[in-house]
Amino acid sequence: MKQKDKKQIKRNSGRMLNFVLPDPDILDDIKDAPQYKTARTKEKSKHSFKLGMDLAEGRITEIKSNYLYLVEVNGEMHTASMSGRLKQFLYQSHALAAVGDRVSLDLSNAPDYRVEHILPRTNSLIRYGGGSFQKEIILAANIDQVIITSSWRMPMFKPGLIDRYLCIAAIHGIAPIIVINKIDLLEDSEELEEATAYYRYIGIPLLCTSIIDGTGMLELRNMLCNKDSVFTGHSGTGKSSLINYLEPSLTLATAEVSDFNEKGKHTTTQAILLPWSFGGHLLDTPGIKTISLHGDQKELIPKVFPGFDRFHHDCRFRDCSHTHEEDCAVLKALEDDLIPIERYDSYLNIYEGLK
Ligand SMILES: Nc1nc2c(ncn2[C@@H]2O[C@H](COP(=O)(O)OP(=O)(O)OP(=O)(O)O)[C@@H](O)[C@H]2O)c(=O)[nH]1
Ligand SMILES: [Mg+2]
Ligand SMILES: [Zn+2]
């Protein structure tokens, strides 16, 4: 036997050891249960193991109240409640359903629709609750991309901020797109070229737009098409304007909700998935403004900082902070001019700012 095959077997057998079989008596009970004796006909193949259910896959687009959801199934909206069994499970596991969750919905008791399962999430957008008890709040799940909106001028383009948003996107596992809006205010295209070269070089999609002369708007629309996107970026960069330009009817729905109420407390984060007429959704969440990097995430920054993924694997230490360590591939890249000093300074600024 080849060395390679031996390894393979060893790894698999280890996996089997971790596999816990339920009480084998259960299998006998299942065998006797009448529903398992019925042959599964073609019509029944859509039904779940629980008799009489008619399950369809849907998407939570809005949370109406505790355990009451708006669920989109094949373009149609249904109000649905959580099944008792699932409610109990979620309560025990301290989990909650989130906007964007893919669910299976039981349609058999229409109009009394029931969410029976929540499917595994590909990612989730999390912010930490205020106060000393830092609770993670899931704003949304299964979001494809984050549109990091900046402006060339008014307010001034700040790459340091872009870096910060890129780290947040990487930590949440959401693909980033950088939009530089208000490009009609551009005077020196060389300056733009210089400011964006690094992001283009490391392969992050970047788009320059203007709602004044329409630059880049078709490309932006194409990038949003059939994807679920969330816009983030500093106040005044033009998020609402871009959305309004692409789909005037959506802006009416996107309420300009503040993240804080008058008492300075967080209002309930009411995220909503709004459908674009050209396909895909816009995630509207007031909580997006309060997503920031958290102290607990400090150790991730050396790995997720834009462009460092090309180097950090070659650092001598796996937990290298790229500040003082020997044989640091990032410091070497900096020396070799593969990372501009401005980006490295931005890295230090973000990394050392986290406690
Ligand atoms: N010159 C120029 N101005 C723009 C452009 N896009 C938006 N603006 C202006 O920028 C200002 C801010 O735009 P908003 O869309 O309100 O910005 P926002 O990102 O939604 O801001 P917040 O809601 O506070 O986070 C408005 O006065 C817009 O008219 C653009 O492409 N060019
Ligand atoms: Mg706005
Ligand atoms: Zn290093």
Side-chain angles (χ1 to χ4, degrees), residues 89-159:
F89 170 75
L90 292 178
Y91 182 77
Q92 280 164 357
S93 61
H94 300 281
L96 285 170
V99 164
D101 267 333
R102 294 182 200 284
V103 298
S104 42
L105 196 67
D106 178 17
L107 308 172
S108 63
N109 273 329
D112 183 13
Y113 300 102
R114 286 291 159 91
V115 173
E116 289 289 337
H117 306 279
I118 297 177
L119 307 181
R121 293 174 180 146
T122 55
N123 62 35
S124 36
L125 206 55
I126 294 165
R127 76 163 171 75
Y128 286 87
S132 52
F133 182 69
Q134 262 149 355
K135 211 173 94 193
E136 289 185 357
I137 296 165
I138 300 180
L139 296 175
N142 306 317
I143 299 302
D144 295 315
Q145 53 190 20
V146 53
I147 314 301
I148 299 171
T149 313
S150 61
S151 49
W152 181 243
R153 293 286 181 267
M154 300 206 304
M156 183 85 172
F157 182 68
K158 294 182 199 79

Side-chain angles (χ1 to χ4, degrees), residues 311-312 314-317 320-323 325-331:
F311 306 110
H312 76 76
D314 296 330
C315 294
R316 188 203 290 188
F317 304 104
C320 187
S321 71
H322 321 314
T323 53
E325 291 88 347
E326 266 178 58
D327 293 332
C328 168
V330 169
L331 288 173

Side-chain angles (χ1 to χ4, degrees), residues 57-85:
E57 195 181 317
R59 190 90 187 279
I60 296 182
T61 60
E62 194 175 338
I63 297 181
K64 291 301 219 182
S65 66
N66 277 351
Y67 307 120
L68 198 65
Y69 311 96
L70 214 56
V71 181
E72 188 183 304
V73 180
N74 296 327
E76 267 183 59
M77 305 305 279
H78 300 299
T79 303
S81 59
M82 185 73 82
S83 81
R85 178 192 56 79

